[in-house]
Amino acid sequence: MGRTIVVTAGKGGVGKTTVTANLGALLTKLGNKVVVVDMDIGLRNLDVVMGLENRVVYNIMDVSDGKCKINQALVRDKTLPGLFLLPASQIHTKKDINIDKIVEIISIIENSFDYILLDSPAGIEKGFESASAPAKEALIVVTPDVSSVRDADRVIGILENRGILAISLIVNRYDINLVNRKKMLNADSVVDILGLDLIGMIPEDKSVIESTNKGELLVNYANGSPANKAFENISRRIEGEDVPFLNFNSQRRGIFSLFRRR
């Protein structure tokens, strides 16, 4: 059985889709068979981030409605043969989602993949409910600002009430210069507020925006970038490896030395 993990947050714009795509790629490079599932029904961005928009024929709603089989809707990545996308529909709305059908689809997929990463839409409405319903684990993505952390705290409570207790934290778009100038929350504060295990931190990196705009996975666009190294380390921690947090700046207290594993 594959591990089904929802990638979620309370606030939009924190980078859930980018995190989902790049973790999917790096888990694949570690030898796993991975499917990333776009649960943002009505919008659909995961295919664009991965550069697969021209290959989409069917989507998860077509599977749910019985218009096609699961394998017909799966889109194989262009460069990583073990990575697949199950796209969202752009013509449906979240009101059209049959959560029981989604759970059934994911349960079938679990028999063929090592990891199923569910890219959740922002908020706590039906889109979030449908993305979290099949999940056994969760990755909470936050940016180090008060509104993102506050919204994430609400999402964590909902997940725990639904029995999802394996929840880890990813701090995204961390800028050490802004932290030092007291213009951004430091990671200790974020961890203390949310009370989660920190599985990784992704520094602010222009390569992320550039690769996303080009529809390329970061591992293909900027393999040696700081953000890509952070994604690689997160994927290894998901696999169970004990990977130390990186020190990106030997001249000062390193970015990752600000954090403690719990």
Side-chain angles (χ1 to χ4, degrees), residues 22-158:
N22 285 289
L23 284 183
L26 285 158
L27 284 167
T28 303
K29 286 182 70 67
L30 291 175
N32 298 290
K33 190 176 180 183
V34 181
V35 58
V36 293
V37 184
D38 193 342
M39 290 304 303
D40 201 353
I41 307 301
L43 292 178
R44 198 173 86 189
N45 290 308
L46 194 50
D47 59 320
V48 175
V49 170
M50 298 175 71
L52 298 175
E53 63 271 24
N54 293 329
R55 298 189 176 195
V56 174
V57 178
Y58 297 107
N59 57 69
I60 193 168
M61 292 301 292
D62 291 326
V63 179
S64 177
D65 293 341
K67 295 180 180 179
C68 71
K69 297 184 182 298
I70 295 173
N71 62 351
Q72 292 177 292
L74 291 173
V75 182
R76 189 189 295 268
D77 184 68
K78 295 177 291 187
T79 59
L80 296 168
L83 177 62
F84 292 79
L85 164 69
L86 182 54
S89 168
Q90 289 182 301
I91 63 172
H92 292 81
T93 69
K94 293 174 178 61
K95 294 180 181 179
D96 298 320
I97 299 172
N98 183 323
I99 294 178
D100 290 338
K101 286 284 190 181
I102 298 298
V103 172
E104 180 182 341
I105 292 167
I106 300 303
S107 68
I108 294 171
I109 291 175
E110 286 175 338
N111 295 317
S112 301
F113 288 86
D114 299 302
Y115 287 94
I116 302 92
L117 302 183
L118 303 164
D119 183 20
S120 170
I124 54 174
E125 305 302 329
K126 192 173 183 181
F128 164 75
E129 185 180 355
S130 62
S132 59
K136 312 300 189 302
E137 306 171 50
L139 294 174
I140 302 292
V141 182
V142 301
T143 49
D145 60 84
V146 173
S147 61
S148 174
V149 173
R150 180 187 61 188
D151 290 351
D153 191 46
R154 170 70 172 141
V155 168
I156 292 165
I158 295 172

